[in-house]
Amino acid sequence: MALLNKNLIHRNATFLDADDALKSMAAAMVKNQYVKSSFVDAVVNREHQFPTGLPTGGIMVAIPHADWTNVNRGTISVATLKEPIVFKNMGDPEEDLAVRLIFMLAVNEPHAEVTLLKDLMGIVQNQATLQGLLDAKSDDELFNRLEDMFRDVTVDTGEKEQLK
């Protein structure tokens, strides 16, 4: 099963704030039947309690997610932002981070989240990779770059699959 869906990739998106981004991205996941309607409130509430902004260097990211019980099937929604929006720092909730990329995770098994976060951390720590996502000139180009990044990642079992 494919991890990415073009309907869940948002290039040069504009949101009012973090809550607006979370609700919009989660609503698209609901519409495409990846998550239950409960996911929308769950991801917003979780973000308020446990912020997901990461100070990854020049290009900041957020990795919002909600409990697996709200998920029908695993996926990742990605938004590149036209203008940064403020997320709280995961390590220091008092600190505001100007986030340019959001990776919203929906995992359908309790152990899979840790594996996916580990895989994603390797990706988001590479500023050149993040810049490449922001520089994508079309929706297709962004989707193709994301497909390349996530080629060896799955959220269905939490295990990596090598596509050779």
Side-chain angles (χ1 to χ4, degrees):
M1 180 180 300
L3 180 64
L4 298 172
N5 177 322
K6 285 187 180 186
N7 296 327
L8 303 180
I9 308 303
H10 314 278
R11 187 178 66 86
N12 287 333
T14 302
F15 299 110
L16 298 174
D17 56 24
D19 282 359
D20 183 41
L22 296 174
K23 289 175 185 174
S24 296
M25 292 174 74
M29 288 178 154
V30 171
K31 181 179 177 185
N32 287 274
Q33 302 178 348
Y34 283 95
V35 298
K36 300 169 183 156
S37 58
S38 59
F39 185 88
V40 179
D41 287 339
V43 77
V44 171
N45 291 337
R46 189 191 182 290
E47 187 68 31
H48 290 185
Q49 292 177 352
F50 305 102
T52 63
L54 289 172
T56 50
I59 300 168
M60 308 287 184
V61 303
I63 308 176
H65 48 283
D67 192 75
W68 66 274
T69 57
N70 298 290
V71 177
N72 296 323
R73 54 195 172 122
T75 192
I76 298 176
S77 177
V78 179
T80 63
L81 305 177
K82 193 170 192 166
E83 297 295 329
I85 55 176
V86 172
F87 276 78
K88 296 293 185 181
N89 185 340
M90 182 185 295
D92 177 7
E94 299 299 312
E95 182 184 2
D96 291 341
L97 300 177
V99 166
R100 292 287 312 278
L101 274 161
I102 302 169
F103 294 89
M104 182 177 284
L105 312 182
V107 295
N108 59 344
E109 293 185 23
H111 68 275
E113 186 174 291
V114 172
T115 303
L116 181 57
L117 283 170
K118 184 175 160 245
D119 290 336
L120 194 52
M121 290 308 292
I123 292 168
V124 302
Q125 291 176 351
N126 184 327
Q127 287 290 304
T129 299
L130 299 179
Q131 189 63 55
L133 296 177
L134 291 176
D135 290 345
K137 302 288 186 230
S138 69
D139 294 348
D140 284 340
E141 183 180 340
L142 176 58
F143 185 78
N144 291 338
R145 289 180 185 192
L146 288 165
E147 266 194 332
D148 287 345
M149 285 171 47
F150 290 106
R151 185 168 318 285
D152 297 334
V153 177
T154 180
V155 292
D156 291 330
T157 64
E159 300 297 322
K160 281 193 166 196
E161 294 177 355
Q162 295 295 322
L163 301 179
K164 301 248 181 209

